[in-house]
Amino acid sequence: MLFAVSLMIPLLVLAVWVFWRLTPPRPETGPVRAFNAAAVVLALVLAGGIAWYVQGSMAGGTDRGMWPVVTAYYVMAVVPLWLAVAGVLRRLIFGARGPSKPLEISQDLSKTRF
């Protein structure tokens, strides 16, 4: 089980990196940064709530020593899902309002045979 958790940690880091990397460009960055910070803080609150719930529900059982591992599985699932939802909300709220730029081709492809 610990090996599976060690494989999931890079996926969690990747989810956080993708969330920050896909921030839409805005002339005023204050509201977007505040939204990003609020989303990350809420992800941490969700992780803490999950840890509290799992520890409380496993406290009376025979496997009470494994609650950190079970919590890690829940956190590795919930935090990326929350960041994906927050990313969609951020894109809807702060996304580009104008048309996207056309594709720019850096070289002349008229003499290229396909």
Side-chain angles (χ1 to χ4, degrees):
M1 282 179 45
L2 294 176
F3 179 71
V5 170
S6 69
L7 292 177
M8 293 171 69
I9 290 172
L11 295 175
L12 179 66
V13 171
L14 177 68
V16 172
W17 180 79
V18 166
F19 177 75
W20 283 103
R21 182 76 176 112
L22 294 180
T23 300
R26 301 286 294 182
E28 65 281 344
T29 59
V32 178
R33 284 186 183 171
F35 183 87
N36 287 344
V40 170
V41 166
L42 190 57
L44 292 174
V45 168
L46 283 171
I50 289 170
W52 179 71
Y53 172 75
V54 170
Q55 194 272 338
S57 65
M58 292 181 71
T62 58
D63 58 350
R64 63 184 168 268
M66 292 298 289
W67 75 266
V69 177
V70 175
T71 299
Y73 280 116
Y74 279 108
V75 167
M76 300 290 177
V78 169
V79 169
L81 287 174
W82 163 245
L83 290 178
V85 169
V88 169
L89 289 174
R90 181 185 60 199
R91 188 70 174 166
L92 290 174
I93 295 170
F94 299 109
R97 301 292 183 212
S100 61
K101 293 182 181 178
L103 179 63
E104 295 181 16
I105 300 175
S106 60
Q107 61 182 356
D108 183 23
L109 297 177
S110 62
K111 296 179 184 175
T112 303
R113 298 179 78 182
F114 292 102

